[in-house]
Amino acid sequence: MATKREFLESIPYFTGLDNAELDSISQLFSERKVERGEIIQLEGKPAEALFFVASGAVKIFKISTEGKEQILSIARPGESFNDIAVFDDGPAPASVEAMTPVTLYRISRDELHTILHEHPEVALNTTRVLADRTRQLVSLVEDLSFRHVINRVARVLLENAGDGSTSGTRLTQQEMAAMVGSVREVVARSLKDLEAEGTIRLERHRIRITDREALEEMAEAAT
Amino acid sequence: MPEMPKIDEEKCDCCGLCISACTCGAITMIDNTITIIETDECGWCTMCELICPNNAVICAYEIVFDKEA
């Protein structure tokens, strides 16, 4: 794993800084180790720090009032989380959980604000990072709100199902996402919703269509 | 033995995230190659596929009509 200084040099927030500036900034970061399954940030709670993933991965997610989990994104090495709340001083808009053992670099909100005042390049880089994040979230909102991905997933399942005499097509959730113009996280949620409605049953490496008529009605709505 | 997830070696950069995410120890590194170990413990959670930044892990579903459907 890269040293803290090498790591910071590679991430978009600190692009363009000279060695002295990077050395100075890296002193403000502390390392934190987290076990798989540990909650790092709870939605609605204050976000006291910005985190960068040095190794491992975390999921950033929301839980609906019905208790359904929607993964908004996954932060892998070099990526950050808590960006929004740490800049607007509001509560965290989503929860964060470690998917693996994770090493994080943490910088407090106050120290980050100091860096932004002292290093205008970092402020400009931050604008780019947040703009990119906004673009990703707008795309996700479009998927969840307007495109009715679940209906298109229903159609994909019907078009690729085997009837017993012929074997069905084998598809990954990533491939289904590409077929319906969405992302894997939304397809995973759609499959769980279809299972909850009783139209399919998710088995180990098999999706069994249990209510063909209901699935066809959903697929029809996608046209 | 049960069917297991597969690795697309052309896409895999051996970052090891799938190994860390797997809760049943079905993925390991052998000779600098991500390797799947057959085990009944794999419940097809698909976390390895989800976490892979290169879409190199393949957890395919066969889609079938139920006889009663």
Side-chain angles (χ1 to χ4, degrees), chain A residues 41 45-51 82 85-86 90 106-110:
Chain A
Q41 176 70 53
K45 298 291 182 186
E48 302 296 341
L50 176 65
F51 290 93
N82 270 3
V86 87
R106 171 192 188 280
I107 183 164
S108 73
R109 181 202 308 252
D110 291 343

Side-chain angles (χ1 to χ4, degrees), chain A residues 1-221:
Chain A
M1 199 171 83
T3 64
K4 183 167 65 177
R5 164 72 169 69
E6 290 168 342
F7 174 79
L8 292 177
E9 191 174 5
S10 70
I11 59 176
Y13 272 97
F14 304 112
T15 300
L17 296 186
D18 62 32
N19 287 337
E21 288 174 310
L22 281 167
D23 285 338
S24 164
I25 285 173
S26 69
Q27 304 297 318
L28 302 174
F29 281 81
S30 58
E31 185 179 299
R32 181 176 162 192
K33 302 261 188 200
V34 180
E35 293 303 312
R36 175 168 50 209
E38 190 175 327
I39 298 288
I40 303 160
Q41 176 70 53
L42 269 177
E43 178 182 349
K45 298 291 182 186
E48 302 296 341
L50 176 65
F51 290 93
F52 293 89
V53 179
S55 69
V58 302
K59 64 178 176 183
I60 297 143
F61 65 100
K62 291 181 79 76
I63 300 286
S64 72
T65 49
E66 298 87 31
K68 291 177 184 171
E69 177 184 290
Q70 175 64 56
I71 297 176
L72 303 179
S73 61
I74 294 173
R76 302 182 177 86
E79 297 174 339
S80 55
F81 60 88
N82 270 3
D83 314 64
I84 295 169
V86 87
F87 287 119
D88 74 359
D89 293 341
S95 298
V96 181
E97 180 184 327
M99 300 174 74
T100 69
V102 175
T103 302
L104 302 168
Y105 289 131
R106 171 192 188 280
I107 183 164
S108 73
R109 181 202 308 252
D110 291 343
E111 285 167 333
L112 186 65
H113 286 187
T114 302
I115 291 175
L116 290 174
H117 283 113
E118 294 178 355
H119 303 275
E121 308 96 299
V122 178
L124 188 60
N125 291 339
T126 301
T127 308
R128 291 200 188 96
V129 170
L130 293 179
D132 184 54
R133 196 67 47 85
T134 304
R135 194 175 288 281
Q136 291 170 16
L137 289 173
V138 167
S139 177
L140 188 63
V141 167
E142 189 180 10
D143 265 359
L144 293 171
S145 307
F146 306 122
R147 287 187 174 172
H148 307 294
V149 172
I150 193 168
N151 297 333
R152 302 225 296 267
V153 170
R155 185 199 285 172
V156 165
L157 294 178
L158 287 166
E159 288 175 349
N160 291 279
D163 60 4
S165 58
T166 57
S167 59
T169 309
R170 297 180 63 84
L171 293 174
T172 65
Q173 293 178 59
Q174 182 63 43
E175 289 166 334
M176 289 184 226
M179 293 166 85
V180 302
S182 182
V183 293
R184 189 198 177 285
E185 289 85 345
V186 176
V187 168
R189 163 78 177 273
S190 298
L191 290 174
K192 283 182 184 167
D193 285 352
L194 287 172
E195 185 175 42
E197 291 168 13
T199 52
I200 65 169
R201 191 165 63 239
L202 291 172
E203 301 175 349
R204 194 176 184 283
H205 67 76
R206 186 169 291 120
I207 296 171
R208 193 175 291 280
I209 296 170
T210 50
D211 189 340
R212 183 173 186 161
E213 197 173 323
L215 204 63
E216 284 173 343
E217 282 178 20
M218 298 190 77
E220 189 66 27

